[in-house]
Amino acid sequence: MKIKTIHIPEVGEEFKTFTHPSGMRVILAEKDLYTGYGLLSVDFGSILEEYEEEGGIFSFPDGTAHFLEHKMFENPDGADTFVKFDACGADANAYTSTDRTCYLFSTSDDFCKGLSVLLESVFTPFFTPENVKKEKGIILQELKMYRDNPYEAVSRALISAMYERLRIRNDICGSIRSVKSVTADDLTRAYTRFYRPERMILTLCGRFNADEVIRVIDACVPAQGTVLPPCRAIGEKNENTVFKRKKTLYCGVTTPMFAAGIKCPAYGLSGQERLIAYNYMSVAAQALFATSSPFVSRLRAEGLLPFDCSDDVVCDRDCAHILFFAHTFDVKKTEKIFFEEIGRLITEGIGEECFERTKKLLYSSFLSEFNSSESTAHLYSSDAFDGIDTSLVPSSILNMTGEKAAEFIAKILRREAISVVAALPQQQKGAL
Amino acid sequence: METSLLYPGVTLRTVREHKFKSDYLSVVFICSGELYDRAHAAILPQVLTRGCRAYPTEAALDGALLDLYDASLQCSGQTNGESFLFSFRLSVNEADFLPDGQEIRRKARDLFFSFIFDVLREKDGFVKRIFLEEKKNLLERLNAEKVNKPRYAVARCLHFLCENEPLDYQTKDLRRDIRKVTAKSLYDYYLRVLREARVEVFYYGREERESVEKDLKARLAPLDTEKRPYVRDVFSPLKPAVMRKTERLEAHQSTLCVGYKTALTGAEDQSALALTRELLCISPTSLIFENLREKQSLCYSCADKLLPRKGVYLLYAGIDGRNAKTVEETLDRQLDTLISGNFSTERLENGKRAIINALLQMNDSPAEIEGRCIRALLSGREDDPEAAKARVAALGKEDVMRAAASLKKDSVFLLYGVRKEKKNP
C-alpha cells in the first residue's frame, strides 16, 4: 500500500492518498481543527439507475440510489447506527446526488470509533420487505416536501428541457409510483453492483492519527472481490444540443421566474480537461450572470429584479452546464435582454477586467474550501471522484488566458445549446 | 477570546487564530426597545446593499470586492426574539495565500467602513429612486410568504403563541407599516441605529489584538455616542386553554406545529432545555425521530424552534394532514416519556455528549462563535463556552424531567395541504 503525500504549496496545504488493498481510495488530510470529518462517497447516483454494461442495458426503478441511502443505517441485529454514532459524540448524515451517494459524520470526540461505525454500517446491508415497506412512507413524505417547493420544480423543468435522455432530468428521489415499486431485491441488486470498495472514496479531514485510522479501515472494509466490468450512464443522444429550447411552467411561485441553462459538451474529457473547462465555464458565467455583469446590471436598471439572482456551474463526468435563475417582474423582457446580452458577448467578447476578476474569484473559492474540515473533505473527495489533481487547481487558474476564454465562450454560446424556462404563478394559467 | 471596550456600548471581541485562510470581521448593531422597528428594519439592509458613495451601484461594489480577491461583504437584518440585529460582515483572504501576495485587508476595511458610514443619500434621506425600488421589492417578497410552507406554518403558529406581543408582527401589519416608510424616515432610523444601538464587534484572524483594536477604534469613532440600554424580551404568558387553528392551503404536504410555553429562565435551565430538545427532537436518535418517523413512518422531517427569552418552544413536522391527530398524540407521548423520566442513562449521556460536541465544533467557525456570543449577551450573560460545557456535563435525568415538565402546550396550528383536483377533507 503506497501512501503518497500531495502538497499544495500555494495555499499551504497537503494531504495523503492511497488505494487500500480492498480497492477503496483513501484521502487523509490532518488539520488542526476541533471538527473531525469523515466522508464516504459511493460512485452510484441517480443517473446510474439506467446504465450500459458490456453492451447490455440495465435499470432500476427511479429513486433506487436515494432509497438505498435511506436504508444504509439499519442493521441486521436491530441496533440503530445513529445510537452508535451518538456514543462517540458524532453527528451523521447522508445524501444522494445525480452522480454519487455520500455518507458522512463529524465529531470532536472519538474519531476512530465514528469511522468504524460509518464503515460497518455501509458494509453491512440489511434489506427486508418489512423495512423497505416502512421506508416508503418516509420517502413519500420527503417527495411531497420537495413538490411543495416551486424552486425544485423550476430547476427540474430547466434540466429536463436541456437533457433528453440522461437521468439527470429525473427527480433524484424518484416518483411516487417508482418509490412504491422499489423492492428489497432491487436494493440488494443495486448494492451488490455499486457498493463495492473500488467504487468508493473515503476522505477524512481533521485531527486524527493516520496509523490509527488505517487500522480501522483495514478492520472494517472487506477485501476486494471480483472486479466487475465498467459501466456508464445512458448518455445523451446529442451532447451539444438541448432537448427543448423553451418551456413554460405554472407552479407555486408568486413572482414569475426566468431560468436559463447553457449545455456544454463535456463527455469523454479527462479530469484535468474538465477542470480547465470548469474554469472557462466560470468565466462565461461571470461575464453573463455576475452582479457586475452588463446583463444583471441591465435587469437591475430596468427595475426587473425583486430578489437576488443565482447561477451555478456544473462540470461533471456525464454532464456540464451553466444555470441561471432569477425572479423577475417581466419574464419576456428578461428573456429578450438575456439573448441580446448573449449576442453582445459573442460579438464583443469578454473584457479583460471581467476575465481577471473571474480568476480572482476562482482562486478565492478554492482557498476558502480550506476553512473547515467539511469543505476541505468535500473538495478532495469531489476532485478525486472527477479525476482531478487538486494540487494542480491553483496553476490551472493562474495559467488561464484571455484568448482561450474567448475561444471557449464562442464555442459554448450557441442558441441550440440554450434552454430557457418561464415559470409563472399558477393563477396565471389560462390568463395569458 | 479577548474582550475590550472601544467606546461605551461598543465592545470588541477578538480571537487571534492562524488556522484559517481568511480573516473575519463583523459589526453587529443590537436594536431593542424603541429601536425594534420591524418595518424600517426590514427594508434597511436592502437599501444599504445597493451601494455606498464610493461604490454607488451594486455592480461597482461587486467589482471592487472581486478586485479584492472576492472579499465577502454582507449586510443583513435578523429578528431575534424581540430584538433586531443588523450585521455587517467582512471576510478577506490572507495575503500569504494570494498569488501576488497582495495585502488587501486594509483596502477591504476601507471599503467595509465606507459601506457602513458613507451611505448613498440625497438631501436628508436615502436616494429616493433606490428606496422606492427596494420598497417595491420588499412588498413583493412579502407576497411570497406562503411559498415556503413549513416556514409559513411556523410564523402562523408563533403569531397564535404570542398574539398582541411585540413579537407578533404579522405580514399584513408589516406590509401596512412598510408603506408608511419614507426615504427620509429610513435614513433617520439608520442614524438612530448608529447612534443609539449597542454594538458588538468581532474579529477572528491573524492580526494581533492591539493592532486590530487601534485600527477599529479609529474607524468606529462615529459610534462614540450614548447608547440605549438593552431592553430584555418579555416572557410570553401561557393561555388558559390550548388554542387550536387550522388553515387550508394548496400543497402536497401539511405542516403541524405544536407550540409550548415554559417559564424556565436561568443559565442552568437553558442547558436543561437544550438537553431536553436534543432528546425530544433534534437528533436522529431523539424520541420523536425514532417514533414518529422511523417506527410510524408519519413524517420525513420534524424540527423544533426555541425562543429562549420569550419562553416559547414549538415542534413542527411535515405530515399527511389526515394523520394530524395521531401525530399530535405521538408528540404528546414523547414529551410524557421525558417528563416521567422513562428513558435510559445511555440516552441521557449520548444527548449530553452531542451538545458538548456541538459546542466544541463551534470553535471552528467564526460566525458560530459570534452567534453563540450574541445569544449569551441577549440572555444577559457573557459568553463562556467552558462554563456552558460544565453546565451540560452536570445535568442529570431529573433536570430533563423538570425542563420537559415546564413545557406547557399553548397553541396548535395545522397548515392543511389540499390539492385542487381533490375534494377538501
Side-chain angles (χ1 to χ4, degrees):
Chain A
M1 201 163 70
K2 194 180 166 200
I3 300 179
K4 262 172 58 180
T5 301
I6 310 288
H7 300 274
I8 318 173
E10 295 90 340
V11 294
E13 294 286 329
E14 64 174 42
F15 62 93
K16 294 183 174 70
T17 181
F18 61 92
T19 301
H20 186 257
S22 62
M24 175 192 275
R25 287 165 70 195
V26 180
I27 295 166
L28 306 177
E30 291 176 61
K31 271 176 102 78
D32 186 22
L33 293 169
Y34 285 92
T35 311
Y37 193 86
L39 172 66
L40 182 68
S41 306
V42 185
D43 189 351
F44 181 41
S46 61
I47 58 171
L48 269 176
E49 285 163 356
E50 188 180 20
Y51 64 98
E52 203 178 330
E53 180 186 297
E54 291 186 327
I57 291 178
F58 304 87
S59 67
F60 294 99
D62 282 359
T64 300
H66 173 254
F67 208 124
L68 255 183
E69 173 225 309
H70 268 245
K71 296 311 300 167
M72 288 317 296
F73 285 159
E74 280 187 37
N75 300 291
D77 61 2
D80 185 343
T81 298
F82 285 112
V83 173
K84 295 181 186 176
F85 276 121
D86 272 1
C88 50
D91 241 356
N93 211 336
Y95 66 89
T96 309
S97 68
T98 54
D99 67 348
R100 71 195 79 167
T101 308
C102 295
Y103 300 90
L104 52 99
F105 74 96
S106 71
T107 183
S108 57
D109 197 342
D110 192 340
F111 189 80
C112 282
K113 182 73 186 145
L115 176 61
S116 72
V117 172
L118 179 80
L119 295 175
E120 279 167 8
S121 298
V122 174
F123 287 109
T124 316
F126 179 55
F127 315 122
T128 66
E130 294 74 31
N131 75 15
V132 168
K133 186 181 171 196
K134 182 213 79 178
E135 203 65 31
K136 287 180 184 175
I138 299 171
I139 295 175
L140 291 175
Q141 282 302 326
E142 184 180 2
L143 263 176
K144 287 182 179 178
M145 182 179 82
Y146 292 132
R147 286 190 177 187
D148 279 334
N149 181 345
Y151 305 115
E152 288 278 337
V154 178
S155 174
R156 183 73 33 224
L158 180 60
I159 293 288
S160 60
M162 294 169 73
Y163 292 91
E164 181 181 4
R165 258 191 104 184
L166 193 66
R167 278 209 174 186
I168 188 178
R169 70 196 308 280
N170 296 357
D171 195 325
I172 290 167
C173 299
S175 63
I176 290 177
R177 180 178 290 185
S178 73
V179 169
K180 282 183 175 171
S181 79
V182 171
T183 64
D185 182 52
D186 289 326
L187 299 184
T188 305
R189 275 196 309 124
Y191 182 87
T192 310
R193 177 62 188 87
F194 296 110
Y195 277 56
R196 311 174 66 81
E198 69 271 19
R199 297 185 66 88
M200 295 178 180
I201 296 170
L202 176 67
T203 310
L204 307 176
C205 186
R207 226 184 265 167
F208 54 77
N209 179 296
D211 293 333
E212 282 178 22
V213 298
I214 291 171
R215 275 198 291 276
V216 173
I217 298 167
D218 286 342
C220 299
V221 180
Q224 191 169 34
T226 317
V227 176
L228 297 179
C231 61
R232 54 166 286 190
I234 301 297
E236 287 290 277
K237 280 182 196 150
N238 194 336
E239 288 288 320
N240 302 315
T241 309
V242 291
F243 177 41
K244 286 181 180 166
R245 291 188 183 190
K246 194 168 177 177
K247 225 175 183 178
T248 300
L249 169 78
Y250 294 93
C251 61
V253 293
T254 48
T255 312
M257 278 186 85
F258 170 77
I262 303 168
K263 194 172 174 182
C264 308
Y267 193 79
L269 296 182
S270 70
Q272 284 315 111
E273 286 167 336
R274 258 201 313 278
L275 171 62
I276 291 164
Y278 174 84
N279 289 344
Y280 286 118
M281 284 167 71
S282 300
V283 177
Q286 270 295 107
L288 274 168
F289 306 129
T291 308
S292 51
S293 70
F295 171 51
V296 175
S297 296
R298 273 183 72 186
L299 296 181
R300 184 69 78 187
E302 300 259 2
L304 292 173
L305 295 179
F307 312 140
D308 287 339
C309 28
S310 65
D311 65 280
D312 193 17
V313 176
V314 172
C315 193
D316 288 343
R317 285 176 303 185
D318 295 290
C319 59
H321 48 247
I322 303 168
L323 306 179
F324 173 76
F325 300 92
H327 280 279
T328 170
F329 289 116
D330 188 334
V331 175
K332 276 188 185 164
K333 204 167 175 183
T334 302
E335 184 183 332
K336 184 173 171 283
I337 296 174
F338 171 69
F339 281 111
E340 282 171 8
E341 284 301 324
I342 293 265
R344 190 195 56 78
L345 201 58
I346 292 168
T347 320
E348 296 175 16
I350 170 182
E352 179 69 15
E353 189 179 59
C354 172
F355 173 68
E356 290 301 328
R357 282 175 173 171
T358 308
K359 283 172 74 173
K360 287 183 172 179
L361 171 74
L362 283 167
Y363 198 90
S364 171
S365 302
F366 178 68
L367 189 57
S368 63
E369 301 287 12
F370 297 99
N371 279 336
S372 78
S373 299
E374 180 180 349
S375 56
T376 307
H378 281 273
L379 169 76
Y380 289 150
S381 178
S382 282
D383 280 356
F385 214 86
D386 291 337
I388 290 170
D389 180 344
T390 309
S391 70
L392 298 180
V393 173
S395 60
S396 79
I397 298 166
L398 299 173
N399 293 335
M400 289 165 75
T401 66
E403 293 73 33
K404 282 186 186 161
E407 201 179 299
F408 188 88
I409 287 171
K411 204 166 77 181
I412 64 168
L413 292 185
R414 296 165 296 110
R415 181 62 189 93
E416 62 271 25
I418 299 173
S419 296
V420 294
V421 168
L424 303 169
Q426 203 72 260
Q427 299 87 319
Q428 288 185 19
K429 199 169 186 177
L432 293 179
Chain B
M1 180 183 287
E2 292 185 83
T3 303
S4 52
L5 199 63
L6 293 178
Y7 298 106
V10 183
T11 309
L12 170 67
R13 294 166 205 279
T14 57
V15 178
R16 190 154 186 238
E17 186 56 82
H18 284 74
K19 57 189 179 186
F20 299 124
K21 308 294 181 192
S22 49
D23 89 357
Y24 177 88
L25 173 68
S26 67
V27 179
V28 183
F29 293 86
I30 301 172
C31 302
S32 62
E34 284 182 37
L35 287 176
Y36 180 73
D37 177 337
R38 293 274 287 267
H40 283 86
I43 194 166
L44 183 57
Q46 319 303 323
V47 171
L48 291 175
T49 304
R50 293 290 294 268
C52 56
R53 279 217 292 185
Y55 304 98
T57 62
E58 280 184 301
L61 188 60
D62 184 53
L65 291 167
L66 283 167
D67 288 338
L68 295 168
Y69 276 90
D70 193 32
S72 159
L73 191 163
Q74 292 173 337
C75 165
S76 63
Q78 187 194 2
T79 48
N80 193 317
E82 292 173 358
S83 297
F84 202 90
L85 307 179
F86 281 115
S87 306
F88 295 87
R89 297 191 176 90
L90 176 70
S91 180
V92 192
N93 290 318
E94 287 290 346
D96 290 355
F97 304 112
L98 298 179
D100 49 11
Q102 200 189 139
E103 174 51 72
I104 53 175
R105 188 191 290 152
R106 298 286 146 189
K107 282 185 194 166
R109 278 194 200 156
D110 290 344
L111 190 158
F112 183 62
F113 287 102
S114 70
F115 182 82
I116 298 175
F117 293 120
D118 197 10
V119 299
L120 276 175
R121 61 192 168 94
E122 58 189 11
K123 293 182 191 161
D124 51 358
F126 282 111
V127 176
K128 203 170 173 185
R129 177 185 56 80
I130 292 174
F131 166 76
L132 290 174
E133 280 175 12
E134 289 307 326
K135 188 165 158 174
K136 180 183 167 196
N137 292 346
L138 180 58
L139 290 168
E140 187 69 23
R141 269 196 290 277
L142 293 178
N143 288 339
E145 65 167 341
K146 292 181 186 172
V147 169
N148 184 331
K149 273 85 183 172
R151 195 164 64 189
Y152 173 69
V154 167
R156 292 294 288 153
C157 191
L158 280 174
H159 155 64
F160 294 117
L161 279 161
C162 305
E163 212 162 359
N164 300 321
E165 296 172 36
L167 186 83
D168 173 31
Y169 200 73
Q170 296 182 75
T171 306
K172 64 179 169 54
D173 300 330
L174 188 56
R175 210 177 272 127
R176 176 198 65 210
D177 293 346
I178 283 168
R179 290 202 177 94
K180 294 180 198 160
V181 177
T182 65
K184 182 180 182 316
S185 73
L186 187 66
Y187 183 63
D188 290 344
Y189 174 68
Y190 186 48
L191 291 181
R192 282 187 65 201
V193 170
L194 293 179
R195 215 168 35 232
E196 299 171 19
R198 178 175 165 177
V199 185
E200 294 293 325
V201 185
F202 294 87
Y203 172 75
Y204 202 102
R206 297 175 178 224
E207 192 176 344
E208 286 182 11
R209 187 188 65 82
E210 292 76 11
S211 165
V212 178
E213 188 177 328
K214 191 179 164 198
D215 184 35
L216 296 185
K217 194 169 170 73
R219 293 179 186 271
L220 292 169
L223 301 184
D224 186 10
T225 50
E226 197 175 330
K227 305 299 183 194
R228 278 181 182 275
Y230 170 63
V231 180
R232 298 282 296 271
D233 291 5
V234 177
F235 253 60
S236 189
L238 180 69
K239 288 186 185 65
V242 177
M243 176 186 270
R244 291 181 179 277
K245 296 277 181 188
T246 297
E247 186 176 315
R248 283 169 164 73
L249 186 74
E250 194 183 344
H252 289 88
Q253 193 174 57
S254 302
T255 305
L256 177 72
C257 302
V258 182
Y260 304 84
K261 299 279 174 66
T262 171
L264 296 185
T265 54
E268 280 75 18
D269 292 336
Q270 293 302 322
S271 300
L273 270 175
L275 182 55
T276 303
R277 292 174 66 194
E278 183 71 31
L279 302 184
L280 185 63
C281 178
I282 289 180
S283 87
T285 52
S286 67
L287 291 168
I288 292 177
F289 194 93
E290 272 183 7
N291 288 282
L292 191 65
R293 174 175 150 144
E294 294 299 313
K295 286 193 183 144
Q296 295 176 281
S297 302
L298 288 174
C299 76
Y300 166 68
S301 77
C302 50
D304 74 348
K305 187 179 177 78
L306 174 71
L307 304 180
R309 297 181 309 284
K310 294 286 299 170
V312 168
Y313 178 67
L314 62 89
L315 291 166
Y316 58 101
I319 60 165
D320 183 328
R322 290 168 298 189
N323 297 328
K325 191 165 177 282
T326 315
V327 171
E328 191 182 337
E329 284 166 1
T330 302
L331 298 183
D332 289 344
R333 271 201 304 279
Q334 308 322 310
L335 188 59
D336 287 343
T337 301
L338 294 182
I339 293 170
S340 63
N342 189 20
F343 55 93
S344 67
T345 308
E346 183 194 17
R347 188 182 283 278
L348 177 85
E349 293 304 321
N350 284 348
K352 286 160 65 171
R353 197 173 283 118
I355 297 176
I356 291 171
N357 189 44
L359 282 169
L360 282 169
Q361 290 191 30
M362 277 181 184
N363 292 317
D364 286 340
S365 161
E368 292 272 353
I369 294 174
E370 178 194 307
R372 190 185 66 204
C373 271
I374 295 276
R375 280 192 296 276
L377 292 168
L378 294 179
S379 297
R381 298 191 299 274
E382 273 297 313
D383 176 47
D384 186 348
E386 288 307 314
K389 268 193 294 177
R391 280 197 299 272
V392 173
L395 291 171
K397 197 179 258 194
E398 63 288 355
D399 295 301
V400 174
M401 292 163 67
R402 182 174 53 86
S406 81
L407 295 169
K408 308 289 183 202
K409 199 186 280 186
D410 179 283
S411 307
V412 178
F413 177 72
L414 174 64
L415 185 67
Y416 201 113
V418 287
R419 304 291 298 144
K420 249 186 185 169
E421 63 270 26
K422 289 176 187 166
K423 280 185 180 171
N424 288 357

